[in-house]
Coordinates of all heavy atoms in Angstrom, one line a residue:
M1 N 21.9 -29.8 42.5 CA 21.5 -28.3 42.8 C 22.6 -27.5 43.4 O 22.8 -26.4 43.2 CB 20.2 -28.3 43.7 CG 19.6 -26.9 43.7 SD 18.9 -26.5 42.0 CE 18.9 -24.7 42.2
T2 N 23.4 -28.2 44.3 CA 24.6 -27.6 44.9 C 25.6 -27.2 43.8 O 26.2 -26.1 44.0 CB 25.2 -28.5 45.9 OG1 25.5 -29.7 45.3 CG2 24.3 -28.7 47.2
Q3 N 25.7 -27.9 42.8 CA 26.6 -27.5 41.8 C 26.2 -26.3 41.1 O 27.0 -25.4 40.8 CB 26.7 -28.7 40.8 CG 28.1 -28.8 40.2 CD 28.3 -30.1 39.4 OE1 27.3 -30.8 39.1 NE2 29.5 -30.4 39.1
L4 N 24.9 -26.1 40.9 CA 24.5 -24.9 40.3 C 24.6 -23.7 41.1 O 25.1 -22.6 40.6 CB 23.0 -25.0 39.8 CG 22.4 -23.9 39.0 CD1 23.0 -23.9 37.6 CD2 20.9 -24.1 38.9
A5 N 24.4 -23.9 42.4 CA 24.7 -22.8 43.4 C 26.1 -22.5 43.4 O 26.4 -21.3 43.5 CB 24.1 -23.4 44.8
N6 N 27.0 -23.4 43.3 CA 28.4 -23.1 43.3 C 28.8 -22.3 42.1 O 29.6 -21.3 42.3 CB 29.2 -24.4 43.2 CG 29.3 -25.1 44.6 OD1 28.9 -24.5 45.7 ND2 29.7 -26.4 44.6
I7 N 28.2 -22.7 41.1 CA 28.5 -21.8 39.8 C 28.0 -20.4 40.0 O 28.7 -19.5 39.6 CB 27.9 -22.5 38.6 CG1 28.7 -23.7 38.1 CG2 27.9 -21.5 37.3 CD1 28.0 -24.6 37.2
R8 N 26.9 -20.3 40.6 CA 26.4 -18.8 40.8 C 27.1 -18.1 41.7 O 27.3 -16.9 41.6 CB 24.9 -19.0 41.3 CG 23.9 -19.4 40.2 CD 22.5 -19.4 40.8 NE 21.5 -19.9 39.9 CZ 21.0 -19.2 38.9 NH1 21.4 -17.9 38.7 NH2 20.1 -19.7 38.0
A9 N 27.7 -18.9 42.7 CA 28.6 -18.1 43.7 C 30.0 -17.7 43.2 O 30.7 -17.0 43.9 CB 28.6 -18.9 45.0
A10 N 30.4 -18.4 42.2 CA 31.8 -18.2 41.8 C 32.1 -16.8 41.4 O 31.1 -16.1 40.8 CB 32.0 -19.2 40.5
P11 N 33.3 -16.3 41.5 CA 33.7 -15.0 41.1 C 33.5 -14.9 39.6 O 33.7 -15.8 38.8 CB 35.1 -14.8 41.5 CG 35.6 -16.2 41.8 CD 34.3 -17.0 42.1
R12 N 33.0 -13.8 39.2 CA 32.7 -13.5 37.7 C 34.0 -13.0 37.0 O 34.7 -12.2 37.6 CB 31.5 -12.6 37.6 CG 30.3 -13.0 38.1 CD 29.7 -14.1 37.3 NE 29.5 -15.4 38.1 CZ 28.8 -16.4 37.7 NH1 28.3 -16.4 36.5 NH2 28.5 -17.4 38.4
C13 N 34.0 -13.2 35.7 CA 35.1 -12.7 34.9 C 34.8 -11.2 34.7 O 33.7 -10.9 34.3 CB 35.2 -13.4 33.6 SG 36.2 -12.7 32.4
G14 N 35.7 -10.4 34.8 CA 35.5 -9.0 34.7 C 35.9 -8.4 33.3 O 35.9 -7.1 33.0
A15 N 36.3 -9.3 32.4 CA 36.7 -8.8 31.1 C 35.6 -8.1 30.4 O 34.4 -8.5 30.5 CB 37.2 -10.0 30.2
K16 N 35.9 -7.0 29.7 CA 35.0 -6.3 29.0 C 34.7 -6.9 27.6 O 35.6 -7.1 26.9 CB 35.3 -4.7 28.8 CG 34.2 -3.9 28.7 CD 34.5 -2.4 29.0 CE 35.4 -1.8 27.9 NZ 35.6 -0.4 28.1
T17 N 33.5 -7.1 27.2 CA 33.1 -7.6 26.0 C 33.1 -6.5 24.9 O 33.2 -5.3 25.2 CB 31.7 -8.3 25.9 OG1 30.8 -7.4 26.2 CG2 31.8 -9.4 27.0
R18 N 33.0 -6.9 23.6 CA 32.8 -5.8 22.6 C 31.6 -5.0 22.7 O 31.5 -3.8 22.4 CB 32.7 -6.5 21.2 CG 34.1 -7.1 20.9 CD 33.9 -7.7 19.4 NE 35.1 -8.6 19.2 CZ 35.3 -9.0 18.0 NH1 34.5 -8.9 17.0 NH2 36.4 -9.8 17.7
A19 N 30.5 -5.6 23.5 CA 29.4 -4.7 23.7 C 29.6 -3.7 24.9 O 28.7 -2.9 25.1 CB 28.2 -5.6 24.0
G20 N 30.7 -3.9 25.5 CA 30.9 -2.9 26.6 C 30.5 -3.4 28.1 O 30.8 -2.8 29.0
T21 N 30.0 -4.6 28.1 CA 29.5 -5.1 29.2 C 30.5 -6.1 29.8 O 31.2 -6.7 29.0 CB 28.1 -5.8 29.1 OG1 28.3 -6.9 28.1 CG2 27.1 -4.9 28.6
P22 N 30.5 -6.4 31.2 CA 31.4 -7.5 31.6 C 31.1 -8.8 31.2 O 30.0 -9.0 30.8 CB 31.3 -7.3 33.2 CG 30.6 -6.0 33.4 CD 29.8 -5.6 32.1
C23 N 32.1 -9.6 31.0 CA 31.9 -10.9 30.5 C 30.9 -11.8 31.3 O 30.0 -12.4 30.8 CB 33.3 -11.6 30.5 SG 33.1 -13.4 30.1
Q24 N 31.1 -11.7 32.6 CA 30.1 -12.4 33.6 C 30.3 -13.9 33.6 O 29.5 -14.6 34.3 CB 28.7 -12.0 33.3 CG 28.5 -10.5 33.4 CD 28.5 -10.1 35.0 OE1 27.8 -10.6 35.8 NE2 29.4 -9.2 35.3
S25 N 31.2 -14.5 32.8 CA 31.3 -15.9 32.8 C 32.1 -16.3 34.2 O 32.8 -15.5 34.7 CB 32.1 -16.4 31.7 OG 31.5 -16.3 30.6
P26 N 31.8 -17.4 34.7 CA 32.6 -17.8 35.9 C 34.0 -17.9 35.7 O 34.6 -18.4 34.8 CB 32.1 -19.3 36.2 CG 30.9 -19.5 35.4 CD 31.0 -18.5 34.3
A27 N 34.8 -17.2 36.6 CA 36.3 -17.1 36.5 C 36.9 -18.5 36.8 O 36.3 -19.3 37.7 CB 36.8 -16.0 37.4
I28 N 38.1 -18.8 36.3 CA 38.8 -20.0 36.6 C 39.2 -19.9 38.1 O 39.5 -18.8 38.6 CB 40.0 -20.1 35.7 CG1 39.7 -20.2 34.3 CG2 41.0 -21.2 36.2 CD1 39.0 -21.6 34.0
R29 N 39.2 -21.0 38.8 CA 39.5 -20.9 40.2 C 40.9 -20.4 40.5 O 41.9 -20.6 39.7 CB 39.6 -22.5 40.7 CG 39.3 -22.6 42.3 CD 39.2 -24.1 42.6 NE 38.3 -24.8 41.7 CZ 38.3 -26.1 41.7 NH1 39.0 -26.8 42.5 NH2 37.4 -26.8 40.9
G30 N 40.9 -19.4 41.3 CA 42.2 -18.8 41.7 C 42.6 -17.7 40.8 O 43.6 -17.1 40.9
R31 N 41.7 -17.4 39.9 CA 42.0 -16.3 38.9 C 40.8 -15.4 38.7 O 39.8 -15.6 39.1 CB 42.4 -16.8 37.5 CG 43.7 -17.7 37.5 CD 44.0 -18.3 36.2 NE 44.9 -19.3 36.3 CZ 46.3 -19.1 36.3 NH1 46.7 -17.9 36.1 NH2 47.1 -20.1 36.3
A32 N 41.1 -14.2 38.1 CA 40.0 -13.2 38.0 C 39.4 -13.2 36.6 O 38.5 -12.4 36.4 CB 40.6 -11.8 38.3
R33 N 39.8 -14.1 35.7 CA 39.2 -14.2 34.4 C 38.7 -15.5 34.0 O 39.3 -16.5 34.5 CB 40.3 -13.7 33.4 CG 40.7 -12.3 33.5 CD 39.6 -11.3 33.0 NE 39.9 -10.0 33.1 CZ 39.6 -9.2 34.2 NH1 38.9 -9.6 35.1 NH2 39.9 -7.9 34.1
C34 N 37.8 -15.7 33.2 CA 37.2 -16.9 32.8 C 38.2 -17.5 31.7 O 39.2 -16.9 31.3 CB 35.9 -16.7 32.0 SG 35.9 -16.0 30.5
R35 N 37.8 -18.8 31.3 CA 38.9 -19.4 30.5 C 39.1 -18.8 29.2 O 40.1 -18.9 28.5 CB 38.5 -20.8 30.3 CG 37.1 -21.1 29.7 CD 36.7 -22.5 29.9 NE 35.2 -22.6 29.9 CZ 34.7 -23.6 29.3 NH1 35.3 -24.7 28.8 NH2 33.3 -23.7 29.3
I36 N 38.1 -18.1 28.6 CA 38.3 -17.4 27.2 C 38.9 -16.1 27.4 O 39.2 -15.5 26.5 CB 37.1 -17.3 26.5 CG1 36.0 -16.6 27.2 CG2 36.5 -18.8 26.0 CD1 34.8 -16.4 26.3
H37 N 39.2 -15.6 28.7 CA 39.8 -14.3 28.8 C 41.1 -14.4 29.5 O 41.5 -13.5 30.3 CB 38.8 -13.3 29.5 CG 37.8 -12.9 28.6 ND1 36.3 -13.0 28.9 CD2 37.7 -12.3 27.4 CE1 35.6 -12.7 28.0 NE2 36.4 -12.1 27.1
G38 N 41.8 -15.4 29.2 CA 43.2 -15.5 29.7 C 43.3 -16.2 31.0 O 44.3 -16.1 31.8
G39 N 42.2 -16.7 31.7 CA 42.2 -17.4 32.9 C 43.0 -18.7 33.0 O 43.6 -19.0 33.9
L40 N 42.8 -19.5 31.9 CA 43.3 -20.8 31.9 C 44.9 -20.9 31.8 O 45.5 -21.7 32.6 CB 42.7 -21.6 30.8 CG 42.8 -23.1 30.8 CD1 42.3 -23.7 32.0 CD2 42.2 -23.7 29.6
S41 N 45.5 -20.1 31.1 CA 46.9 -20.2 30.9 C 47.5 -18.8 30.9 O 46.8 -17.9 30.3 CB 47.2 -21.0 29.6 OG 48.6 -20.7 29.2
P42 N 48.6 -18.5 31.5 CA 49.3 -17.2 31.4 C 49.9 -17.1 30.0 O 50.4 -15.9 29.8 CB 50.3 -17.3 32.5 CG 50.6 -18.7 32.7 CD 49.4 -19.5 32.3
G43 N 49.9 -18.0 29.1 CA 50.4 -17.8 27.9 C 51.9 -18.3 27.8 O 52.4 -18.9 28.8
A44 N 52.5 -18.2 26.7 CA 53.9 -18.7 26.5 C 54.8 -17.9 27.3 O 54.6 -16.7 27.6 CB 54.3 -18.5 25.0
P45 N 55.9 -18.5 27.8 CA 56.9 -17.7 28.6 C 57.4 -16.4 27.7 O 57.5 -16.6 26.6 CB 58.0 -18.7 28.8 CG 57.5 -19.9 28.2 CD 56.3 -19.8 27.6
R46 N 57.8 -15.4 28.5 CA 58.3 -14.2 27.9 C 59.8 -14.3 27.5 O 60.5 -14.9 28.2 CB 58.0 -13.0 28.7 CG 56.6 -12.7 29.1 CD 55.8 -12.1 27.8 NE 54.5 -12.0 28.1 CZ 53.4 -12.8 27.6 NH1 53.7 -13.8 26.9 NH2 52.2 -12.5 27.9
V47 N 60.1 -13.8 26.4 CA 61.4 -13.6 25.9 C 62.2 -14.9 25.9 O 61.7 -15.9 25.4 CB 62.1 -12.5 26.8 CG1 63.5 -12.0 26.1 CG2 61.2 -11.2 26.9
E48 N 63.4 -15.0 26.4 CA 64.3 -16.1 26.3 C 63.8 -17.4 26.8 O 64.1 -18.5 26.3 CB 65.7 -15.8 26.9 CG 66.5 -14.7 26.2 CD 66.2 -13.3 26.8 OE1 65.2 -13.2 27.6 OE2 66.9 -12.5 26.4
R49 N 62.9 -17.3 27.8 CA 62.3 -18.6 28.3 C 61.4 -19.3 27.4 O 61.1 -20.4 27.4 CB 61.6 -18.4 29.6 CG 62.5 -17.8 30.7 CD 62.1 -18.3 32.1 NE 60.7 -18.0 32.4 CZ 59.7 -18.9 32.6 NH1 60.0 -20.2 32.6 NH2 58.5 -18.5 32.9
N50 N 60.9 -18.5 26.4 CA 60.1 -19.2 25.3 C 61.0 -19.9 24.3 O 62.0 -19.5 23.8 CB 59.4 -18.0 24.5 CG 58.4 -18.5 23.6 OD1 58.6 -19.7 22.9 ND2 57.3 -17.8 23.4
G51 N 60.6 -21.2 24.1 CA 61.5 -22.1 23.3 C 61.6 -21.6 21.9 O 62.6 -22.0 21.2
N52 N 60.7 -20.8 21.5 CA 60.7 -20.3 20.1 C 61.5 -18.9 19.9 O 61.5 -18.4 18.9 CB 59.3 -20.2 19.5 CG 59.2 -20.3 18.1 OD1 60.0 -20.8 17.4 ND2 58.2 -19.7 17.5
F53 N 62.2 -18.5 21.0 CA 62.9 -17.3 21.0 C 64.1 -17.3 20.0 O 64.9 -18.2 20.0 CB 63.4 -17.0 22.4 CG 64.1 -15.7 22.5 CD1 63.3 -14.5 22.6 CD2 65.4 -15.5 22.5 CE1 63.8 -13.3 22.7 CE2 66.0 -14.3 22.6 CZ 65.2 -13.2 22.7
K54 N 64.1 -16.3 19.1 CA 65.2 -16.2 18.2 C 66.0 -15.0 18.4 O 67.2 -14.9 18.7 CB 64.7 -16.2 16.7 CG 64.1 -17.6 16.4 CD 64.0 -17.9 14.9 CE 63.5 -19.2 14.6 NZ 62.0 -19.3 14.5
S55 N 65.4 -13.8 18.1 CA 66.0 -12.5 18.4 C 65.1 -11.7 19.3 O 64.1 -12.3 19.7 CB 66.2 -11.8 17.1 OG 65.0 -11.5 16.5
G56 N 65.4 -10.6 19.5 CA 64.5 -9.7 20.3 C 63.4 -9.0 19.5 O 62.6 -8.3 20.0
Y57 N 63.3 -9.4 18.2 CA 62.3 -8.7 17.3 C 60.9 -8.9 17.6 O 60.1 -8.1 17.6 CB 62.6 -9.1 15.8 CG 61.9 -8.3 14.8 CD1 62.4 -7.0 14.6 CD2 60.8 -8.7 14.2 CE1 61.8 -6.2 13.6 CE2 60.1 -7.8 13.3 CZ 60.6 -6.6 13.0 OH 60.0 -5.8 12.1
W58 N 60.5 -10.1 18.1 CA 59.1 -10.4 18.3 C 58.7 -10.4 19.8 O 57.7 -11.0 20.1 CB 58.8 -11.8 17.6 CG 58.8 -11.8 16.1 CD1 59.8 -12.2 15.3 CD2 58.0 -11.0 15.3 NE1 59.5 -11.9 14.1 CE2 58.3 -11.2 14.0 CE3 56.8 -10.3 15.6 CZ2 57.7 -10.6 12.8 CZ3 56.1 -9.8 14.4 CH2 56.6 -9.9 13.1
T59 N 59.5 -9.8 20.6 CA 59.1 -9.8 22.0 C 57.9 -8.9 22.1 O 57.7 -7.9 21.2 CB 60.2 -9.3 22.9 OG1 60.5 -7.9 22.5 CG2 61.4 -10.1 22.9
A60 N 57.1 -9.0 23.2 CA 55.9 -8.1 23.4 C 56.4 -6.7 23.5 O 55.7 -5.8 23.0 CB 55.2 -8.7 24.6
E61 N 57.5 -6.5 24.1 CA 57.9 -5.2 24.4 C 58.4 -4.5 23.0 O 58.0 -3.3 22.7 CB 59.2 -5.2 25.2 CG 58.9 -5.5 26.6 CD 58.7 -7.1 26.8 OE1 59.2 -7.8 26.0 OE2 58.3 -7.4 27.9
S62 N 59.1 -5.2 22.2 CA 59.5 -4.5 21.0 C 58.4 -4.3 20.0 O 58.3 -3.4 19.3 CB 60.7 -5.4 20.2 OG 60.2 -6.6 20.0
M63 N 57.4 -5.3 20.0 CA 56.2 -5.1 19.1 C 55.4 -3.9 19.6 O 54.9 -3.2 18.8 CB 55.4 -6.4 19.2 CG 56.0 -7.5 18.4 SD 55.2 -9.1 18.6 CE 53.7 -8.8 17.5
E64 N 55.2 -3.7 21.0 CA 54.6 -2.6 21.5 C 55.3 -1.3 21.0 O 54.6 -0.3 20.7 CB 54.5 -2.8 23.0 CG 53.8 -1.7 23.7 CD 52.3 -1.7 23.4 OE1 51.8 -2.8 23.1 OE2 51.7 -0.6 23.3
E65 N 56.6 -1.4 21.1 CA 57.4 -0.1 20.8 C 57.2 0.2 19.4 O 56.9 1.4 19.0 CB 58.9 -0.4 21.0 CG 59.7 0.9 21.0 CD 61.1 0.6 21.4 OE1 61.2 0.4 22.6 OE2 62.0 0.7 20.7
R66 N 57.2 -0.7 18.4 CA 57.0 -0.4 17.0 C 55.6 0.1 16.8 O 55.4 1.0 16.0 CB 57.1 -1.7 16.2 CG 58.6 -2.1 16.0 CD 58.9 -3.1 14.9 NE 58.3 -4.3 15.2 CZ 58.8 -5.3 15.9 NH1 59.9 -5.2 16.4 NH2 58.2 -6.5 16.1
R67 N 54.6 -0.5 17.4 CA 53.2 0.0 17.3 C 53.2 1.5 17.7 O 52.5 2.3 17.1 CB 52.3 -0.9 18.1 CG 50.9 -0.8 17.6 CD 50.0 -1.9 18.2 NE 49.9 -1.7 19.6 CZ 49.2 -2.5 20.4 NH1 48.6 -3.6 19.9 NH2 49.2 -2.3 21.7
W68 N 53.9 1.8 18.7 CA 53.8 3.1 19.4 C 54.4 4.2 18.3 O 53.9 5.2 18.1 CB 54.6 3.1 20.7 CG 54.7 4.4 21.3 CD1 53.7 5.1 22.0 CD2 55.9 5.3 21.4 NE1 54.2 6.3 22.5 CE2 55.7 6.4 22.1 CE3 57.2 5.1 20.9 CZ2 56.5 7.4 22.3 CZ3 58.1 6.1 21.1 CH2 57.7 7.3 21.9
I69 N 55.6 3.7 17.7 CA 56.3 4.6 16.7 C 55.3 4.8 15.6 O 55.2 5.9 15.0 CB 57.6 3.9 16.3 CG1 58.5 4.0 17.6 CG2 58.1 4.7 15.1 CD1 59.8 3.3 17.3
K70 N 54.7 3.7 15.1 CA 53.8 3.8 13.9 C 52.7 4.8 14.3 O 52.3 5.6 13.3 CB 53.3 2.4 13.7 CG 53.1 2.0 12.2 CD 52.8 0.6 12.1 CE 51.9 0.3 10.9 NZ 51.6 -1.2 10.8
E71 N 52.1 4.7 15.4 CA 51.1 5.5 15.8 C 51.5 7.1 15.8 O 50.8 7.9 15.3 CB 50.5 5.2 17.2 CG 49.4 6.1 17.8 CD 48.1 5.8 17.1 OE1 48.0 4.8 16.2 OE2 47.2 6.5 17.4
I72 N 52.7 7.3 16.3 CA 53.2 8.7 16.3 C 53.3 9.2 14.9 O 52.9 10.3 14.6 CB 54.5 8.6 17.1 CG1 54.4 8.2 18.5 CG2 55.3 10.1 16.9 CD1 54.5 9.3 19.5
L73 N 53.9 8.4 14.0 CA 54.1 8.7 12.6 C 52.8 9.1 12.0 O 52.7 10.0 11.2 CB 54.8 7.6 11.8 CG 56.3 7.5 12.2 CD1 56.9 6.3 11.5 CD2 57.1 8.8 11.8
R74 N 51.8 8.2 12.2 CA 50.4 8.3 11.7 C 49.9 9.7 12.1 O 49.3 10.4 11.2 CB 49.6 7.1 12.0 CG 48.3 7.0 11.2 CD 47.5 5.8 11.8 NE 47.0 6.0 13.1 CZ 46.0 6.7 13.4 NH1 45.3 7.1 12.4 NH2 45.6 6.8 14.6
L75 N 49.9 10.0 13.3 CA 49.4 11.2 13.9 C 50.1 12.4 13.3 O 49.5 13.4 13.0 CB 49.6 11.3 15.4 CG 48.6 10.3 16.1 CD1 48.8 10.4 17.6 CD2 47.2 10.7 15.9
Y76 N 51.5 12.3 13.1 CA 52.2 13.4 12.5 C 51.9 13.6 11.1 O 51.7 14.7 10.6 CB 53.7 13.0 12.7 CG 54.6 14.1 12.2 CD1 54.9 15.2 13.1 CD2 55.4 14.0 11.1 CE1 55.6 16.3 12.7 CE2 56.1 15.1 10.6 CZ 56.2 16.2 11.4 OH 57.1 17.2 11.0
A77 N 51.7 12.4 10.4 CA 51.4 12.6 8.9 C 50.0 13.3 8.8 O 49.8 14.1 7.8 CB 51.3 11.2 8.3
K78 N 49.0 12.9 9.6 CA 47.7 13.5 9.6 C 47.8 15.1 9.9 O 47.1 15.9 9.2 CB 46.8 12.9 10.7 CG 45.3 13.0 10.3 CD 44.6 12.4 11.6 CE 43.8 11.2 11.2 NZ 43.1 10.6 12.4
A79 N 48.6 15.4 10.8 CA 48.7 16.9 11.3 C 49.3 17.7 10.2 O 49.0 18.8 10.0 CB 49.5 16.9 12.5
T80 N 50.3 17.1 9.3 CA 50.9 17.9 8.3 C 50.3 17.8 6.9 O 50.6 18.3 6.0 CB 52.5 17.4 8.3 OG1 52.4 16.0 8.1 CG2 53.2 17.7 9.6
D81 N 49.3 16.9 6.8 CA 48.6 16.6 5.5 C 47.6 17.6 5.2 O 46.4 17.4 5.4 CB 48.1 15.1 5.6 CG 47.6 14.8 4.2 OD1 48.0 15.4 3.2 OD2 46.7 13.9 4.2
K82 N 48.0 18.8 4.8 CA 47.0 19.8 4.6 C 47.3 20.5 3.2 O 48.4 20.5 2.9 CB 47.1 20.9 5.6 CG 46.4 20.3 7.0 CD 45.0 20.9 7.0 CE 44.1 20.0 7.9 NZ 44.5 20.2 9.4
Ligands
ZN101 ZN1 35.5 -13.7 30.5

C-alpha cells in the first residue's frame, strides 16, 4: 500500500496531450516529465558530440532555421496568391 501511496505522491508529468489535458503520468525521479515525454533520457548529444555528426546540415538549429524559412515562404505565397 505504501508503494501505491508513493506513486500518488510523485510529481506529475506536465506535458500536454493531444486532447489538451496534462499527461498526469508520474514523472521520472528528479525530472519534470514522465518517461514517454522526455524524462528518461535527454536524447542524443547535440552537434559535434553526437557520434553520428557529419556536417551542420542536420543539427536541430539548422533544421529549425529551414522550417522557419519554409514557413515564411508559405505565408508569402499565400499572401500573393490572388
Ligand atoms: Zn508525460
Side-chain angles (χ1 to χ4, degrees):
M1 196 59 204
T2 51
Q3 214 167 8
L4 188 64
N6 283 348
I7 289 171
R8 286 182 185 281
R12 297 287 128 173
C13 170
K16 204 163 73 172
T17 64
R18 287 185 195 185
T21 58
C23 169
Q24 298 290 300
S25 293
I28 296 292
R29 205 175 310 167
R31 297 183 194 268
R33 292 288 179 262
C34 75
R35 58 194 157 143
I36 55 172
H37 288 123
L40 193 58
S41 161
R46 297 289 178 253
V47 197
E48 288 90 350
R49 295 215 304 119
N50 190 324
N52 204 22
F53 182 82
K54 291 199 179 90
S55 67
Y57 192 78
W58 291 107
T59 61
E61 288 79 15
S62 59
M63 284 172 79
E64 183 65 35
E65 190 171 297
R66 284 196 295 277
R67 202 167 65 183
W68 179 74
I69 289 168
K70 216 169 153 184
E71 178 73 6
I72 298 251
L73 286 175
R74 197 177 63 81
L75 288 173
Y76 185 75
K78 206 189 237 176
T80 55
D81 186 26
K82 286 263 159 68

